[in-house]
Amino acid sequence: AQKVTQAQTEISVVEKEDVTLDCVYETRDTTYYLFWYKQPPSGELVFLIRRNSFDEQNEISGRYSWNFQKSTSSFNFTITASQVVDSAVYFCALSEDSNYQLIWGAGTKLIIKP
Amino acid sequence: DVKVTQSSRYLVKRTGEKVFLECVQDMDHENMFWYRQDPGLGLRLIYFSYDVKMKEKGDIPEGYSVSREKKERFSLILESASTNQTSMYLCASNVGTHYGYTFGSGTRLTVV
């Protein structure tokens, strides 16, 4: 069973549009951690955010924001006023307290058109 | 600027060759990881290490081995390269379990 689901394989928007990338996770642990990573065309994965299961506050960092909702087991990522440089593959990942391995979603390819 | 450095960006090797992929981190991180990334298969963990001389198998260790003689260096070894090991190899490290990973820029290995 897939534990981290990124249902959107590819999203294409025009620059300056807002876009939300969905992430749904599945775990029985009460303590867990959620992550988002960005992989631009250059290939190097970049860590964006880590959120633990006890902190449901939304996070904002510039044009990026994250919405964590335990009730729906979702950790969605929104880019406001998208830019061409945001074009990348974005991965959501889960780290369970009972498991040393990071569980990765399949990724969402985001294309921002000028 | 903290870094994970992979020794080669692109490599082409012949079938049957012994291949070494090197990874060095300068952050004094405890944990180091080797992944391979293939289209449609996502990121798959090959091996990881949580301490010097310690190693643990990931999801796809077959055909690979690793070495961690020093804290900062984690090597991935393909004992006898095969064409199905053509892939992007990514090294990562983190300060401890459940913390974010810092990745290297990747090595694109082609086995011919």
Side-chain angles (χ1 to χ4, degrees):
Chain A
Q2 202 161 12
K3 288 195 164 188
V4 179
T5 303
Q6 295 181 255
Q8 304 148 311
T9 305
E10 185 173 305
I11 301 174
S12 181
V13 300
V14 177
E15 200 173 19
K16 296 183 185 175
E17 283 186 25
D18 298 348
V19 58
T20 296
L21 309 182
D22 297 332
C23 175
V24 174
Y25 62 92
E26 181 187 326
T27 181
R28 292 182 180 179
D29 287 19
T30 54
T31 302
Y32 54 89
Y33 303 82
L34 296 161
F35 302 82
W36 276 95
Y37 288 83
K38 174 183 180 179
Q39 187 175 36
S42 60
E44 185 171 336
L45 276 142
V46 177
F47 165 70
L48 296 177
I49 190 170
R50 167 184 178 257
R51 176 52 52 90
N52 76 57
S53 53
F54 299 107
D55 183 2
E56 282 194 77
Q57 278 195 348
N58 290 336
E59 176 100 8
I60 298 174
S61 176
R63 295 183 297 105
Y64 293 176
S65 62
W66 291 269
N67 182 278
F68 176 29
Q69 290 196 338
K70 288 175 79 169
S71 61
T72 54
S73 297
S74 65
F75 186 44
N76 296 337
F77 174 30
T78 298
I79 301 175
T80 303
S82 60
Q83 299 176 3
V84 172
V85 294
D86 296 326
S87 296
V89 179
Y90 291 86
F91 291 93
C92 180
L94 165 69
S95 180
E96 298 171 302
D97 210 30
S98 59
N99 185 354
Y100 59 82
Q101 282 203 35
L102 194 60
I103 303 164
W104 295 87
T108 296
K109 184 175 183 179
L110 178 63
I111 300 167
I112 310 295
K113 298 177 183 175
Chain B
D1 195 18
V2 293
K3 269 190 169 181
V4 174
T5 303
Q6 293 184 234
S7 53
S8 304
R9 189 80 172 98
Y10 298 95
L11 271 180
V12 180
K13 296 292 182 180
R14 294 196 178 278
T15 302
E17 275 194 74
K18 191 169 186 176
V19 181
F20 293 86
L21 302 184
E22 305 287 347
C23 176
V24 176
Q25 51 98 0
D26 64 1
M27 297 163 284
D28 201 35
H29 282 175
E30 302 295 324
N31 302 328
M32 296 187 75
F33 307 84
W34 275 107
Y35 282 90
R36 64 177 282 180
Q37 185 177 25
D38 302 286
L41 296 176
L43 284 145
R44 293 181 291 168
L45 181 64
I46 306 171
Y47 267 98
F48 77 100
S49 168
Y50 54 87
D51 200 353
V52 175
K53 296 190 187 294
M54 306 302 289
K55 60 185 179 184
E56 293 283 344
K57 293 179 180 180
D59 298 319
I60 51 163
E62 297 78 19
Y64 303 95
S65 62
V66 290
S67 171
R68 193 168 181 200
E69 296 296 318
K70 293 184 178 181
K71 190 176 186 180
E72 66 270 20
R73 186 180 295 270
F74 192 36
S75 304
L76 180 69
I77 304 154
L78 287 66
E79 296 289 342
S80 177
S82 63
T83 54
N84 63 13
Q85 292 178 310
T86 292
S87 185
M88 170 68 92
Y89 289 88
L90 296 166
C91 177
S93 70
N94 73 349
V95 67
T97 307
H98 308 307
Y99 284 86
Y101 290 9
T102 302
F103 279 87
S105 54
T107 296
R108 187 165 292 283
L109 173 67
T110 302
V111 183
V112 298

